[in-house]
């Protein structure tokens, strides 16, 4: 029996049925690329485990064979995260789709990797709870989003989705199972990662290179009774940022976001078009939730006061009135329309990628101006500078991202978009921003600029956890 | 005769617009409350992403068109055939898709099959067998053509003229004769001047079209259309969702074969009678639910597309400007006194396929049966439902098989059978 056949047979034995394993090029092709411009790269095998024990066995096999393993949930990442750099075994976790517990007393839930945003939203809503739904597809994995510092509709109030993590079960690259956070001490107690050392950090933001998270505890806040969606506009990002920084100090908004004119178009104009004269370059919204009418009134009053006070100082920020229908898109998440990237890539033609970053708000303007230069002046085909900024909890920094659609079937135009995105990432990193869920080309740029001690530590940790370098190799660009 | 089929290269302008977002994998709506349910029978069964929704089909189309996999390798051929031909082509994914790919998904999947047929990678063995049977005997069941209207003998003498012609279709003629008999009974009770095509009724061509074949169904279409147009019928009635889609939509769409007579599914025919006050129904005490056949619902949606870019941009999907038959059969069903109607969780555009479509009842019977079991279990989840009603002999067959396999108390019946029961003589 040759190696290919032997591994196939062993994988089949591990998961109990050949149905859950494939080494067919037809099946492997479907795991070779995603929404982005990343070139297709196929795994050698796809396997669909159902239990952590099966994952243990797969990882032990991979170590014995020195074969890469790529964890995969829904394949909706915007950075080629699950596209295998070096082939190997693609571990599709969609069969692990159980919501294990929703604890309404202590307000946490425990989920498996295959639980989708849609599935989780349905179950939480029944019980009056919610989560930080991203503007991703309803099919996307809640767990994968959270462990990769995903952003949701509550990031202004509760922080990133990774800030919701209360505990995790992980299968280490060498096959051992461990618990992080409170369940490490008592298996059914998922209230918090603290006060223990934050070992969950070893598996958070690490792009599937340090282990396979098989259970995740997350905090679930209740759905408030009252909501107001405030909308506003400014002539430039300088004024918009000043408003957002000022208003965010109150920590009243669950979501405080502004978008450039090009992103406010549905879909993003492709290629670039001039903004009509007189149209504000930036529009924004904030979602103000409250448990009492009085609380909501206070929040709305403060929102209006901040706008008024800044206006007196010459800031162009103004409250705006937008149709109720368009407001729904701000709170009605997960959304098929937003999540399908319809609003973003429909005109461009199916492809989308972006430099999505965490950047201090006082550098947004400088970076945005550089991005506009790249996209509208330096690009071979001018592209829309469709930019989004969102404040995170703590309010001193936030998301700055440049959503870039492109046609999948026109290689020159795809290459043009890819060049723009890479150049935008470089100027962003130089300005102090950090791309999240970075594609490999971004990771290389990050590493070029990184503190050597930080790189050494990553290498040491990686070597300790994954001595054979099997976990999603190449993604961090250091091993 | 020239046809209007487009090749895979042409469809690539749309399937390459699939963003790979995976929205097609489940039926989700924000609500509130948010609702979520599985929608892709093929993906639910196989789980691999190469089988899930229209996203998978976009991957596969690119692989075929750009030679991303070696389709000269027999093992790859086998895998590709399985991935492409084990889809029920139910259109559940199409309903979810929000991109310009959406309007084309069903036709594109069938073109992908046609492409593989031309390469000798399709149809499946089972489809090849029934293809030969259709060519020989004009039905996919291997029954003699001369016995097509044997069922009618129990009802009345063969009559081949009248204002209305009942196009019985193969499944009702040979396998679900109770549906054919009920249809005949209803037409008679309503005083319709109706006939049948007799030996001139050939298979509508649906089973072959679904398998990616082109020339053979065209011959069937030309035969049926010629006969129907030559005999002065005013109305063509069929109780089969599959035949309905082909007669009402595809003959003209693919081959420009226009039927002079109005084509009605029995549900439409009955609703027309109902609106005229001509449908006098008596009590049928039963708690029922309704299953939407894909060929009558989603597949009959009409999509507005801005092909020349005058409204939005070239090729952009604008809206569904004419929905499929969702309310019509429900209206008829609810009009029967004594009927307690309960809607299944997945309904209308988000209905879950019965599992028999796209040729998989013959080619992948396990997938078909498991899918149907899922649907029966969904009905069982409704309190005290006794019957699952659907206006499609093929759905009745597969769902009935599943009900029996499960030992379920849910009885699967055709809408026309209930109406027949309720119609006063």
């Amino acid at each position: 029996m040759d190696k290919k056949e032997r591994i196939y047979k062993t994988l089949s034995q591990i998961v109990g049925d050949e149905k859950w394993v494939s080494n067919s090029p037809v099946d492997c092709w479907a795991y070779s690329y995603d929404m982005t411009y990343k070139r297709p790269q196929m795994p050698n095998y796809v396997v669909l485990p159902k239990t952590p024990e099966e994952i243990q066995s797969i990882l032990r096999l991979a170590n014995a064979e020195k074969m890469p393993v790529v964890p995969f949930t829904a394949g909706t990442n915007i950075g080629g995260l699950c596209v295998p750099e070096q082939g190997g075994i693609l571990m599709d976790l969609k069969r692990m789709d159980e919501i294990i517990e929703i604890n309404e007393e202590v307000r946490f839930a425990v989920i498996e990797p295959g639980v989708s945003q849609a599935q989780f939203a349905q179950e939480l809503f029944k019980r009056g709870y919610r989560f930080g739904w991203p503007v991703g597809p309803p099919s996307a994995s809640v767990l994968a989003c959270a462990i990769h510092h995903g952003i949701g509709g509550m990031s202004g109030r509760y922080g990133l989705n990774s800030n919701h993590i209360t505990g995790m079960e992980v299968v280490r690259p060498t096959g051992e199972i461990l618990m992080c956070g409170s369940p490490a001490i008592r298996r059914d107690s998922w209230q918090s990662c603290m006060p223990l050392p934050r070992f969950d950090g070893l598996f958070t933001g690490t792009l599937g290179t340090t282990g396979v998270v098989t259970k995740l505890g997350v905090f679930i806040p209740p759905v408030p009774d009252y909501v107001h969606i405030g909308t506003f506009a400014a002539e430039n990002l300088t004024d918009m940022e000043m408003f957002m920084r000022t208003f965010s100090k109150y920590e009243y908004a669950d979501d405080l976001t502004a978008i450039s004119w090009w992103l406010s178009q549905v879909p993003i104009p492709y290629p670039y078009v001039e903004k009509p004269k007189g149209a504000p370059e930036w529009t924004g919204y904030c979602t103000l939730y409250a448990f009492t009418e009085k609380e909501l009134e206070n929040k709305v009053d403060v929102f209006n006061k901040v706008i008024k006070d800044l206006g007196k100082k010459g800031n162009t920020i103004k409250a705006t009135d937008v149709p109720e229908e368009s407001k729904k898109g701000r709170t009605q998440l997960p959304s098929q329309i937003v999540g399908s990237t319809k609003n973003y890539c429909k005109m461009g033609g199916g492809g989308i990628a972006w430099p999505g970053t965490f950047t201090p708000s006082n550098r947004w303007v400088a970076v945005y101006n550089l991005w506009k230069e790249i996209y509208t002046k330096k690009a071979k085909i001018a592209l829309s500078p469709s930019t989004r900024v969102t404040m995170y909890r703590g309010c001193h920094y936030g998301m700055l991202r440049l959503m870039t659609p492109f046609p999948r079937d026109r290689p020159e135009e795809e290459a043009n978009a890819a060049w723009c995105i890479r150049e935008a990432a470089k100027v962003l990193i130089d300005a102090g921003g950090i791309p999240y869920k970075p594609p490999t080309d971004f990771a290389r740029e990050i590493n070029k600029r990184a503190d050597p001690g930080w790189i050494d530590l990553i290498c040491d940790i990686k070597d300790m956890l994954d001595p054979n370098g099997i976990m999603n190799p190449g993604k961090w660009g250091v091993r | 005769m020239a046809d209007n089929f487009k090749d895979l290269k042409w469809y690539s302008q749309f399937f390459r617009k699939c963003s790979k977002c995976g929205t097609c994998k489940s039926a989700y709506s924000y609500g509130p409350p948010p609702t979520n349910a599985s929608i892709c029978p093929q993906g639910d069964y196989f789980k691999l992403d190469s089988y899930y929704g229209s996203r998978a089909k976009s991957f596969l189309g690119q692989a075929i068109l750009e030679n991303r996999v070696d389709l000269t390798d027999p093992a790859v051929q086998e895998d590709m055939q399985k991935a492409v031909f084990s889809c029920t082509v139910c259109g559940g994914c199409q309903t979810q898709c929000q991109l310009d790919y959406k309007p084309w998904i069903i036709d594109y999947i069938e073109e992908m099959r046609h492409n593989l047929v031309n390469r000798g990678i399709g149809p499946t063995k089972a489809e090849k067998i029934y293809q030969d049977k259709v060519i020989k005997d004009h039905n996919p069941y291997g029954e003699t053509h001369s016995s097509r209207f044997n069922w009618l003998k129990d009802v009345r003498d063969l009559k081949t003229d009248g204002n209305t012609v009942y196009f019985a279709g193969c499944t009702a003629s040979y396998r679900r004769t109770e549906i054919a008999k009920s249809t005949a009974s209803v037409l008679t009770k309503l005083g319709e001047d109706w006939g049948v095509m007799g030996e001139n009724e050939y298979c509508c061509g649906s089973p072959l079209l679904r398998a990616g074949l082109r020339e053979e169904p065209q011959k069937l279409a030309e035969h049926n259309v010629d006969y129907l147009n030559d005999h002065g019928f005013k109305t063509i009635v069929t109780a089969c969702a599959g035949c309905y889609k082909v007669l009402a939509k595809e003959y003209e769409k693919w081959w420009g074969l226009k039927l002079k007579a109005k084509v009605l599914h029995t549900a439409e025919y009955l609703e027309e009678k109902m609106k005229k006050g001509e449908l006098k129904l008596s009590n049928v005490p039963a708690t029922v639910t309704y299953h939407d056949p894909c060929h009558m619902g989603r597949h009959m949606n009409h999509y507005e597309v801005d092909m020349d870019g005058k409204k939005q941009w070239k090729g952009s999907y604008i809206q569904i400007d004419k929905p499929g038959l969702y309310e019509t059969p429900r209206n008829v069903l609810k009009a029967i006194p004594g009927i307690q109607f309960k809607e299944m969780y997945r309904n209308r555009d988000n209905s879950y396929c019965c599992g028999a479509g796209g040729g998989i009842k013959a080619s992948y019977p396990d997938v078909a049966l498991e899918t149907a079991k899922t649907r029966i279990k969904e009905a069982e989840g409704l309190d005290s439902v006794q019957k699952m009603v659907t206006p499609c002999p093929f759905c009745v067959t597969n769902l009935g098989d599943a009900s029996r396999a499960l030992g379920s108390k849910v009885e699967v019946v055709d809408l026309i059978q209930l109406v027949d029961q309720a119609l006063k003589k």
Side-chain angles (χ1 to χ4, degrees):
Chain A
M1 192 186 297
D2 67 7
K3 182 179 176 182
K4 188 179 172 188
E5 185 65 13
R6 178 167 46 78
I7 292 175
Y8 177 84
K9 289 282 179 199
T10 309
L11 286 171
S12 302
Q13 285 165 4
I14 290 169
V15 293
D17 193 329
E18 288 194 3
K19 185 179 176 184
W20 309 127
V21 184
S22 178
N23 58 5
S24 162
V26 174
D27 298 325
C28 291
W29 170 252
Y31 293 86
S32 69
Y33 67 94
D34 58 15
M35 306 185 192
T36 68
Y37 52 81
K38 186 160 180 59
R39 298 290 87 206
Q41 287 164 289
M42 281 160 63
N44 303 101
Y45 305 87
V46 181
V47 61
L48 291 90
K50 180 70 179 161
T51 66
E53 291 72 25
E54 290 176 3
I55 293 174
Q56 282 185 296
S57 300
I58 293 165
L59 292 173
R60 284 172 181 149
L61 170 69
N63 274 291
E65 300 288 347
K66 305 283 190 293
M67 180 164 276
V69 174
V70 180
F72 174 104
T73 50
T76 58
N77 171 251
I78 312 279
L81 201 56
C82 298
V83 176
E85 298 294 326
Q86 300 168 20
I89 301 168
L90 190 135
M91 189 187 284
D92 183 338
L93 300 164
K94 71 163 71 75
R95 289 178 66 220
M96 299 175 72
D97 61 352
E98 194 182 341
I99 298 172
I100 295 163
E101 182 180 4
I102 295 176
N103 191 317
E104 296 180 54
E105 284 182 314
V106 191
R107 295 185 192 145
F108 67 75
V110 183
I111 56 172
E112 290 191 315
V115 171
S116 69
Q117 308 283 348
Q119 183 187 351
F120 200 37
Q122 182 184 37
E123 292 308 315
L124 287 188
F125 195 92
K126 284 179 193 168
R127 296 162 175 83
Y129 291 88
R130 60 185 179 139
F131 193 66
W133 311 119
V135 291
S139 64
S141 159
V142 178
L143 181 148
C145 178
I147 66 170
H148 290 104
H149 300 304
I151 302 119
M154 306 191 304
S155 293
R157 180 171 182 159
Y158 296 108
L160 307 172
N161 286 1
S162 51
N163 293 127
H164 294 230
I165 294 174
T166 62
M168 59 173 66
E169 177 189 82
V170 186
V171 185
R172 286 168 59 176
T174 41
E176 302 85 354
I177 295 180
L178 79 145
M179 308 297 290
C180 294
S182 50
I185 310 306
R186 183 179 154 141
R187 282 297 289 258
D188 63 350
S189 201
W190 286 81
Q191 75 276 14
S192 172
C193 286
M194 295 165 285
L196 299 168
R198 293 296 303 264
F199 290 149
D200 58 297
L202 293 171
F203 311 101
T204 309
T206 49
L207 312 180
T209 64
T210 53
V212 182
V213 181
T214 46
K215 289 185 185 67
L216 193 76
V218 288
F219 162 65
I220 46 165
V223 179
D225 299 319
Y226 300 91
V227 63
H228 173 82
I229 299 164
T231 55
F232 42 89
E235 288 177 12
N236 54 65
L237 184 55
T238 304
D239 287 356
M240 180 59 80
E241 190 275 335
M242 177 55 71
F243 163 71
M244 292 173 74
R245 198 191 322 167
T246 308
F247 183 53
S248 65
K249 75 180 180 187
Y250 298 94
E251 299 193 1
Y252 277 2
D254 280 32
D255 188 356
L256 179 53
T257 288
I259 54 178
S260 71
W261 179 84
W262 293 271
L263 187 51
S264 72
Q265 306 308 296
V266 178
I268 295 170
Y270 181 90
Y272 171 76
V273 294
E274 288 279 348
K275 176 178 77 65
K277 283 181 182 170
E281 185 156 346
W282 285 84
T283 53
Y285 65 89
C286 58
T287 54
L288 304 174
Y289 282 95
F291 289 94
T292 65
E293 276 186 63
K294 202 167 179 180
E295 183 190 0
L296 187 67
E297 278 173 22
N298 178 45
K299 287 184 173 180
V300 174
D301 286 349
V302 171
F303 167 73
N304 290 326
K305 182 178 183 302
V306 170
I307 288 179
K308 195 174 167 187
D309 290 350
L310 285 172
K312 284 179 189 169
K313 294 176 187 171
N315 189 303
T316 60
I317 193 79
K318 286 184 176 60
T320 54
D321 194 17
V322 303
E324 283 302 312
E325 192 60 31
S326 79
K327 287 183 180 178
K328 284 180 186 172
R330 313 308 178 194
T331 55
Q332 298 197 347
L333 296 170
S335 158
Q336 274 193 330
I337 291 174
V338 179
S340 68
T341 72
K342 175 185 173 182
N343 292 4
Y344 310 142
C345 74
K346 196 173 174 187
M347 195 172 180
I352 191 160
W354 55 63
T357 76
F358 292 6
T359 303
S361 67
N362 63 355
R363 296 184 196 163
W364 289 353
V365 173
V367 172
Y368 176 61
N369 289 336
L370 290 169
W371 282 0
K372 278 175 81 174
E373 182 80 9
I374 293 167
Y375 272 51
T376 64
K377 302 265 172 33
K378 293 183 179 172
K380 281 185 186 169
I381 303 162
L383 300 178
S384 296
S386 40
T387 304
R388 171 180 166 177
V389 292
T390 295
M391 283 288 182
Y392 296 158
R393 187 179 68 174
C395 310
H396 54 289
Y397 79 115
M399 177 220 284
L400 172 66
R401 86 178 175 203
L402 178 47
M403 302 165 84
T404 312
F406 53 85
R408 303 300 305 253
D409 55 353
R410 299 201 284 275
E412 278 186 26
E413 292 182 48
E414 188 179 55
N416 175 67
W419 180 85
C420 286
I421 291 166
R422 289 190 189 107
E423 291 304 304
K426 286 179 197 170
V427 299
L428 175 280
I429 301 167
D430 284 338
I434 302 174
Y436 57 79
K437 306 176 194 169
T440 48
D441 44 1
F442 290 16
R444 279 192 291 274
E445 296 298 329
I446 293 170
N447 292 342
K448 276 185 204 169
R449 295 157 177 81
D451 169 57
W454 185 80
I455 295 282
D456 286 347
L457 181 61
I458 282 202
C459 291
D460 289 348
I461 290 170
K462 176 75 175 160
D463 291 346
M464 177 195 73
L465 287 172
D466 184 15
N468 291 311
I470 62 164
M471 289 305 305
N472 216 358
K475 289 300 176 193
W476 259 119
V478 292
R479 279 287 187 270
Chain B
M1 178 185 286
D3 64 44
N4 297 317
F5 292 102
K6 307 291 186 186
D7 64 14
L8 210 53
K9 175 72 184 160
W10 187 87
Y11 282 109
S12 73
Q13 66 183 306
F14 298 107
F15 75 72
R16 291 305 307 275
K17 286 191 172 183
C18 169
S19 72
K20 310 292 182 291
C21 68
T23 296
C24 54
K25 288 180 177 179
S26 68
Y28 166 79
S29 167
Y30 172 78
T35 54
N36 180 56
S38 60
I39 194 69
C40 173
Q42 187 193 23
D44 291 345
Y45 186 85
F46 291 102
K47 299 290 184 193
L48 287 158
D49 259 37
S50 37
Y51 292 79
Y52 242 121
S54 47
R55 161 172 139 147
K57 310 307 177 289
S58 172
F59 278 117
L60 297 172
Q62 193 190 2
I64 295 168
L65 200 59
E66 298 179 4
N67 300 313
R68 298 290 184 155
V69 294
D70 180 9
L71 284 174
T72 62
D73 179 337
V76 175
Q77 289 180 352
E78 191 179 323
D79 294 335
M80 182 61 84
Q81 184 187 88
K82 189 176 166 192
V84 174
F85 283 79
S86 65
C87 169
T88 58
V89 202
C90 69
C93 56
Q94 183 180 36
T95 301
Q96 316 311 319
C97 181
Q98 302 291 321
L99 303 172
D100 293 345
Y101 179 28
K102 181 186 184 93
W104 309 98
I105 288 169
I106 297 294
D107 295 343
Y108 155 61
I109 294 171
E110 291 183 354
E111 176 52 35
M112 197 157 34
R113 291 182 170 186
H114 178 62
N115 185 292
L116 293 179
V117 167
N118 285 344
R119 292 167 187 258
I121 307 174
T124 64
K125 281 180 190 167
E127 286 166 343
K128 182 76 177 72
I129 290 167
Y130 70 62
Q131 174 195 349
D132 293 343
K133 288 175 179 173
V134 171
I135 291 167
K136 180 170 176 280
D137 289 312
H138 315 312
N139 75 82
Y141 295 109
E143 304 289 348
T144 58
H145 183 57
S146 58
S147 64
R148 190 172 189 93
F149 280 94
N150 279 357
W151 62 269
L152 191 59
K153 290 172 187 166
D154 297 341
V155 183
R156 72 169 202 190
D157 293 337
L158 185 72
K159 176 175 177 295
T160 56
D161 58 7
N163 280 330
T164 297
V165 61
Y166 167 42
F167 191 96
C170 304
T171 305
S173 295
Y174 293 110
R175 292 291 180 268
R176 297 271 73 83
T177 53
E178 68 276 16
I179 294 172
K181 288 176 185 175
S182 283
T183 308
S185 168
V186 166
L187 291 170
T188 303
K189 285 176 184 174
L190 290 172
E192 194 65 55
D193 172 21
W194 69 279
V196 294
M197 292 167 72
E199 63 182 11
N200 286 295
E201 183 185 299
Y202 286 9
C203 170
C204 69
S206 178
L208 306 188
L209 274 169
R210 309 291 77 89
L213 302 167
R214 298 286 190 257
E215 290 173 16
E216 297 82 356
Q218 181 176 349
K219 288 173 192 163
L220 298 169
E222 286 168 350
H223 167 85
N224 285 329
V225 171
D226 283 350
Y227 181 85
L228 288 163
N229 283 348
D230 288 348
H231 285 75
F233 298 111
K234 299 275 189 304
T235 306
I236 302 163
V237 171
T238 180
C240 173
C243 297
Y244 173 71
K245 179 191 171 187
V246 172
L247 293 168
K249 182 175 176 179
E250 292 194 284
Y251 282 173
E252 186 171 0
K253 175 179 172 175
W254 297 131
W255 299 292
L257 297 169
K258 195 166 172 55
L259 284 160
K260 291 176 186 170
K262 183 166 68 171
V263 179
L264 294 177
H265 189 276
T266 41
E268 289 175 296
Y269 171 83
L270 292 166
E271 191 185 42
E272 279 191 4
K273 293 286 179 192
M274 205 168 79
K275 285 177 179 171
K276 290 178 187 168
E278 296 172 6
L279 201 62
K280 308 290 183 197
L281 300 168
S282 60
N283 196 50
V284 178
T287 304
V288 307
T289 189
Y290 177 77
H291 168 79
D292 291 278
C294 306
H295 287 192
M296 209 167 129
R298 289 186 283 248
H299 286 209
M300 293 306 291
N301 284 340
H302 185 268
Y303 294 88
E304 183 186 358
V305 176
D306 188 10
M307 285 304 284
D308 51 14
K310 284 181 180 165
K311 286 188 177 176
Q312 294 187 148
W313 57 88
K314 281 185 180 178
S316 57
Y317 157 64
I318 296 177
Q319 61 173 345
I320 294 172
D321 52 10
K322 186 168 179 267
L325 293 178
Y326 296 122
E327 304 314 318
T328 296
R330 285 176 172 79
N331 292 342
V332 173
L333 186 54
K334 290 174 184 174
I336 301 172
I339 288 290
Q340 293 282 316
F341 181 77
K342 296 193 173 183
E343 196 74 81
M344 278 188 282
Y345 187 72
R346 292 176 287 191
N347 60 70
R348 296 176 173 82
D349 263 348
N350 285 337
S351 176
Y352 197 64
C353 177
C354 77
I360 75 162
K361 177 78 174 161
S363 301
Y364 301 93
D366 291 352
V367 183
L369 188 61
E370 287 307 309
T371 303
K373 282 181 183 174
T374 305
R375 193 62 166 155
I376 292 294
K377 286 175 187 170
E378 189 173 343
E380 287 176 332
L382 296 170
D383 188 33
S384 66
V385 161
Q386 299 161 308
K387 295 178 195 292
M388 180 185 280
V389 181
T390 187
C392 172
F394 215 48
C395 294
V396 168
T397 300
N398 201 42
L399 292 166
D401 289 350
S403 180
R404 283 184 290 279
L406 288 168
S408 173
K409 289 178 182 171
V410 174
E411 182 194 6
V412 183
V413 296
D414 197 285
L415 175 63
I416 200 73
Q417 292 175 273
L418 271 193
V419 173
D420 187 28
Q421 194 183 337
L423 260 184
K424 291 169 186 167
K425 288 185 181 173

